[in-house]
């Protein structure tokens, strides 16, 4: 049996969960409070991050490396463009979300509102929350700019870049931090990806002490 | 003519410079003080990061996406393993260096000693410098652990993972922050990569106001 060590509101875990589900690779989910750095978990991943995938006896970390590996060993359905330019654009956007978007938005909103509390580090830093709330507007505008010319974020086919983006936005949506009325194209894109069977497990997540937004699991939000 | 907008002590720029040089793709280097966010630079890369590569009319950002693209369009010499397991390990290590190593070590040493001053943000934070100096020991130990079983970081062939690691370590070596006596295997690995023609341009870098360590450009260090 394959196992994914994850944390429900980890965007990196969610990206891998979406990838596994689209490729119909079954995994058991094990919630890992990775910041507690249990010796057993550190043995699996000295980087002390989630997700960690145990598959066919291999233990793998680094979410993007995992997704590219899954694409290599199970190419159906394809989640990457076939041409070099398309793959570049997909990888650029995964980098955009997992580095820039994470540091400017996810870490400042989900990080402050949820992680800080579950990690026992006190109350949200309001300056960070304000900075995150400001930054997400710029990012939603950028996504709209992309989606006005393409059906999906990296081109006309759904790719791992959409999973990276949706992974972050779904965490932010859990705490009502996404203004879906800002751009109809972004809302339409999220509605499309949210209605996929692969998304169901994410919509069922619950973090004790944090109720998801009323519309969080609603496909007609 | 191709152009790479870079900053000399940016490990991400250095990774791409090594990749371009190994593949013998000629580029003109333009130093970019990216933190000043000139409107012209932001137009090229809204993420406001270096490197940015202008090649055949395309403008590209995100260092790993660029390297993978170069591998796609110019596969000789190969800088990635052919098998899925090898590629996974290479990508895992690139993620390790560009995320974990960067945040724990490079940003705390090169970031505090050099960037803080050139960015006009005052004096190094000594707590950060101490934390970086502590963390690099763990990372050198981890690299030694890998290199005791392999010729190169990700396996028996040189790959982009070696460029990622050498890019960070060469920035740290500029300010004498690497204890090469800690592990002979790590020193041997660095000597091998440092003596490649592709490395020459990095060894010629100088940041005004910061003399490189005496041994920095010495192949017999």
């Amino acid at each position: 049996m394959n196992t994914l060590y994850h944390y429900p509101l980890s965007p990196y875990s969610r990206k891998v969960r979406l990838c596994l589900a689209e490729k119909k690779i079954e995994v058991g989910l094990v919630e890992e409070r990775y910041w507690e750095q249990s010796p057993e978990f550190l043995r699996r991943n000295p980087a002390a991050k989630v997700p960690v995938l145990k598959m066919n006896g291999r233990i793998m970390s680094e979410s993007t490396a995992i997704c590219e590996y899954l694409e290599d060993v199970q190419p159906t359905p394809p989640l990457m463009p076939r041409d070099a330019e398309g793959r570049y654009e997909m990888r650029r956007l995964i980098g955009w979300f997992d580095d820039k978007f994470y540091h400017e938005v996810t870490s400042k909103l989900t990080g402050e509102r949820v992680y800080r509390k579950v990690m026992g580090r006190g109350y949200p830093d309001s300056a960070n929350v304000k900075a995150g709330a400001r930054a997400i507007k710029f990012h939603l505008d950028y996504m709209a700019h992309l989606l006005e010319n393409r059906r999906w974020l990296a081109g006309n086919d759904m790719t791992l870049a959409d999973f990276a983006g949706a992974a972050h936005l779904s965490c932010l949506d859990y705490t009502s931090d996404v203004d879906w009325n800002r751009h109809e194209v972004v809302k339409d894109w999220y509605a499309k990806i949210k209605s996929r069977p692969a998304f169901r497990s994410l919509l069922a997540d619950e973090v004790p002490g944090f109720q998801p937004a009323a519309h969080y699991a609603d496909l007609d939000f």
Side-chain angles (χ1 to χ4, degrees), chain A:
Chain A
M1 179 59 172
N2 306 318
T3 305
L4 187 75
Y5 301 88
H6 80 122
Y7 191 72
L9 292 187
S10 150
Y12 307 107
S13 302
R14 287 182 164 219
K15 182 177 62 183
V16 172
R17 287 164 72 190
L18 289 171
C19 182
L20 288 162
E22 284 287 341
K23 292 189 176 289
K24 302 205 184 347
I25 299 170
E26 283 195 34
V27 287
L29 291 179
V30 174
E31 192 172 319
E32 181 65 51
R33 295 168 68 87
Y34 58 93
W35 58 89
E36 293 176 354
Q37 307 212 347
S38 79
E40 202 188 335
F41 184 62
L42 286 183
R43 236 187 351 264
R44 274 184 227 113
N45 180 15
K49 299 193 293 189
V50 284
V52 169
L53 177 63
K54 209 169 125 186
M55 188 170 144
N56 306 332
R58 296 176 64 83
I59 291 180
M60 292 182 279
S61 57
E62 288 294 332
S63 62
T64 299
I66 294 173
C67 290
E68 296 245 16
Y69 175 77
L70 295 173
E71 182 76 11
D72 270 347
V73 297
Q74 186 141 330
T76 322
L79 298 175
M80 282 175 57
R82 290 197 175 186
D83 59 310
E85 281 71 25
R87 275 200 297 276
Y88 157 73
E89 181 65 354
M90 180 202 76
R91 290 183 176 121
R92 177 185 78 82
L93 286 167
I94 294 172
W96 175 282
F97 284 108
D98 284 352
D99 180 24
K100 187 176 174 72
F101 189 97
Y102 173 76
H103 287 104
E104 294 179 359
V105 181
T106 318
S107 70
K108 294 208 161 46
L109 293 169
T110 311
E112 291 292 338
R113 291 197 208 281
V114 178
Y115 276 77
R116 195 185 273 269
K117 193 170 164 200
V118 296
M119 289 178 176
R121 296 188 185 158
Y123 292 98
D125 176 322
S126 64
N128 276 344
V129 171
K130 268 185 209 157
R134 238 188 347 259
I136 195 175
K137 291 180 189 171
F138 158 77
H139 281 280
L140 291 171
D141 293 352
Y142 183 62
M143 293 175 74
H145 160 74
L146 295 174
L147 291 165
E148 267 150 22
N149 299 296
R150 307 165 172 179
R151 290 187 56 220
W152 297 90
L153 285 175
N156 286 326
D157 296 307
M158 186 183 72
T159 68
L160 295 170
D162 298 290
F163 293 174
H168 285 272
L169 283 178
S170 64
C171 292
L172 293 156
D173 194 37
Y174 189 95
T175 46
S176 292
D177 278 311
V178 187
D179 174 8
W180 294 115
N181 293 321
R182 193 170 173 90
H183 293 289
E184 208 171 333
V185 283
V186 178
K187 186 179 178 176
D188 289 349
W189 164 83
Y190 190 66
K192 263 195 299 187
I193 203 162
K194 189 178 181 180
S195 64
R196 298 184 75 82
F199 224 83
R200 271 182 217 148
S201 131
L202 275 56
L203 299 180
D205 280 346
E206 273 205 41
V207 178
F210 297 88
Q211 277 287 104
H215 65 268
Y216 172 71
D218 191 348
L219 295 186
D220 192 19
F221 55 108

